[in-house]
Amino acid sequence: MEKVPMTAEGYTSLEAEIKNLKTAERPRIIKLIAEARSHGDLSENAEYHAAKELQGITEARIADLEDKLSRADIIDVSKLKGDQVMFGATVTLIDEDTEDKVKYRIVGEIEGNVKEGKISITSPIARALLGKRKNDVVEVSTPGGGKSYEIVKVEYK
């Protein structure tokens, strides 16, 4: 089984999502199914079929998350240090074309969320950054074309 790298924060977040799905979402779906059943004929009952489909999606999500947790390789970022970009690093970059400053934290694939400043270790930007150091310039192929970034800060927190 292939290990799934993730931060301790990401692991805790997945545990919380599983708990929510099991303790809040499952009972809600069971009520929806029971209510839809009370409407009679199940063969033409759209509410019933929608609730059953939602139940299937929820159970699949729980199984997927539990699988990822069972294969988790938790990396304690607080014990990492140095100026080389690795998993868990928070990297401050300057876009060489626009001079815009951006900050990304390199996290596990399931934790990635660009809006929160977290990029997956498998993303093009993260792959380009890995192994680089402060003041290095990296070229990243993006759907909108190539981009150049200068690494101005590498930190582990």
Side-chain angles (χ1 to χ4, degrees):
M1 274 209 255
E2 186 179 330
K3 288 288 188 181
V4 178
M6 69 178 63
T7 62
E9 176 188 321
Y11 188 89
T12 303
S13 173
L14 290 184
E15 283 182 321
E17 184 177 348
I18 289 171
K19 182 178 180 184
N20 179 58
L21 288 171
K22 286 182 172 181
T23 61
E25 197 61 18
R26 263 186 187 159
R28 185 182 75 80
I29 293 169
I30 289 169
K31 284 180 186 175
L32 288 174
I33 291 170
E35 185 179 315
R37 270 196 181 129
S38 70
H39 296 151
D41 185 13
L42 298 181
S43 65
E44 295 183 19
N45 187 330
E47 288 176 9
Y48 174 77
H49 293 291
K52 289 297 280 182
E53 184 176 343
L54 182 59
Q55 182 182 39
I57 292 168
T58 302
E59 293 303 321
R61 177 73 177 154
I62 291 169
D64 182 50
L65 293 176
E66 286 177 337
D67 173 61
K68 284 184 173 56
L69 283 183
S70 72
R71 295 183 297 124
D73 182 12
I74 302 168
I75 298 170
D76 186 356
V77 178
S78 66
K79 293 182 180 172
L80 301 174
K81 59 184 173 193
D83 65 347
Q84 188 172 9
V85 179
M86 297 182 288
F87 180 90
T90 299
V91 185
T92 305
L93 308 168
I94 293 182
D95 185 321
E96 293 203 320
D97 296 331
T98 64
E99 297 296 317
D100 290 340
K101 209 178 228 190
V102 291
K103 192 177 207 178
Y104 295 120
R105 181 170 182 209
I106 300 174
V107 296
E109 197 168 350
I110 196 160
E111 300 172 77
N113 184 335
V114 176
K115 290 178 183 172
E116 294 177 4
K118 298 175 182 178
I119 58 173
S120 165
I121 193 161
T122 60
S123 71
I125 294 175
R127 287 195 317 254
L129 291 171
L130 291 174
K132 303 291 191 276
R133 299 179 186 280
K134 182 179 175 185
N135 299 323
D136 283 353
V137 174
V138 294
E139 297 287 329
V140 181
S141 295
T142 66
K147 299 281 268 175
S148 283
Y149 294 101
E150 180 183 349
I151 301 172
V152 293
K153 191 173 188 182
V154 177
E155 56 190 333
Y156 294 91
K157 43 184 168 171

